[in-house]
């Protein structure tokens, strides 16, 4: 049986398709990597104070799922800290510790008071107790408040953490740098919880230190 002549058009076409596929794969990987990072939307207000603002999208996550991650002990404990308890009400306390050996109620746990909320939309809180010897000025941080916004973003939920009211100079700059890093890390851990699953606290995820 005579062999057929090779089809020279086919390899060129296949090569072209392969190149396009690789380019698309690279673009998708880049987009996925970018979307896994918190987006910095910080800005300076007209009165000169600074607003620390960062956001991230949680793919395939409903508003109700994202809300539960902040407002229930079970949900908060899947991403924020190995020790977590949320007394969800106006004036209630969100208590947490990164040290698994410190149960709820231990001195030195982080305690934030809920000062306002709109169900499935907004949660605001203010710190009442910091860990011992924090790497920032506690009273300065406690003069601020934190707002968490939730909004639908197609098939995802966008979560934004906002801390307004930062002034200039020390100790404000130290607090700002710490939470610029810490809030971004928290948002990335929240996304990781919904993309990869709940945190395995037997293998702790270290909180990065603030940039100097």
């Amino acid at each position: 049986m005579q062999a057929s002549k090779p089809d020279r058009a086919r390899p060129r076409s296949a090569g072209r398709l392969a190149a396009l596929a690789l380019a698309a794969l690279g673009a998708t990987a880049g987009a996925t990597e970018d979307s896994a990072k918190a987006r910095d939307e910080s800005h300076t207000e007209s009165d000169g104070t600074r607003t620390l603002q960062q956001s991230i999208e949680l793919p395939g996550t409903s508003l109700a799922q994202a809300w539960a991650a902040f407002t229930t002990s079970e949900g908060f404990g899947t991403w924020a800290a190995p020790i977590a308890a949320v007394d969800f009400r106006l004036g209630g306390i969100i208590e947490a510790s990164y040290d698994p050996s410190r149960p709820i109620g231990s001195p030195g746990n982080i305690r934030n008071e809920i000062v306002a909320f709109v169900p499935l939309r907004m949660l605001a809180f203010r710190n009442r107790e910091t860990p011992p010897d924090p790497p920032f000025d506690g009273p300065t941080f406690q003069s601020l408040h934190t707002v968490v916004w939730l909004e639908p973003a197609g098939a995802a939920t966008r979560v934004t953490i906002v801390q307004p009211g930062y002034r200039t100079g020390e100790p404000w700059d130290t607090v700002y740098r710490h939470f610029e890093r810490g809030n971004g890390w928290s948002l990335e851990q929240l996304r990781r919880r919904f993309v990869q699953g709940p945190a395995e606290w037997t293998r702790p995820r270290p909180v990065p230190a603030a940039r100097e």
Side-chain angles (χ1 to χ4, degrees):
M1 183 175 179
Q2 185 180 2
S4 61
K5 294 181 180 180
D7 184 354
R8 298 185 181 277
R10 188 175 302 163
R12 285 200 298 270
S13 176
R16 206 173 286 122
L17 288 174
L20 289 172
L22 286 172
L25 181 61
T28 303
T32 301
E33 182 178 350
D34 289 344
S35 63
K37 297 294 184 182
R39 179 178 176 182
D40 190 354
E41 302 163 339
S42 304
H43 53 275
T44 301
E45 307 294 346
S46 59
D47 63 359
T49 61
R50 293 171 291 171
T51 295
L52 178 59
Q53 180 171 318
Q54 294 159 298
S55 68
I56 206 162
E57 290 189 5
L58 312 179
T61 305
S62 68
L63 284 170
Q65 290 172 312
W67 182 251
F70 284 94
T71 60
T72 68
S73 300
E74 295 79 8
F76 201 65
T78 62
W79 66 276
I83 302 297
V86 180
D87 177 15
F88 184 67
R89 59 184 175 84
L90 195 62
I93 298 294
I94 302 173
E95 182 176 347
S97 173
Y98 294 107
D99 183 350
S101 69
R102 303 178 69 85
I104 293 300
S106 297
N109 283 358
I110 302 166
R111 292 179 175 87
N112 294 313
E113 180 186 1
I114 299 169
V115 297
F117 65 87
V118 177
L120 301 179
R121 293 295 181 182
M122 182 274 287
L123 172 67
F125 51 87
R126 173 172 281 181
N127 181 257
R128 294 306 184 198
E129 292 185 50
T130 66
D133 302 317
F136 54 86
D137 184 67
T140 298
F141 176 56
Q142 290 172 342
S143 71
L144 300 167
H145 67 284
T146 302
V147 181
V148 179
W149 291 99
L150 306 181
E151 55 186 327
T157 292
R158 181 180 298 109
V159 179
T160 304
I161 297 180
V162 187
Q163 287 179 333
Y166 280 94
R167 301 176 192 173
T168 56
E170 293 292 346
W172 297 96
D173 291 347
T174 301
V175 177
Y176 188 98
R177 287 194 299 268
H178 179 85
F179 285 95
E180 179 183 34
R181 189 87 170 193
N183 290 354
W185 178 87
S186 293
L187 286 171
E188 289 159 14
Q189 300 315 299
L190 177 63
R191 186 183 189 279
R192 183 175 176 179
R193 180 262 173 271
F194 284 105
V195 172
Q196 299 183 18
E200 297 179 25
W201 293 116
T202 54
R203 291 154 58 180
R205 303 172 184 178
V207 183
R211 291 193 296 267
E212 294 301 329

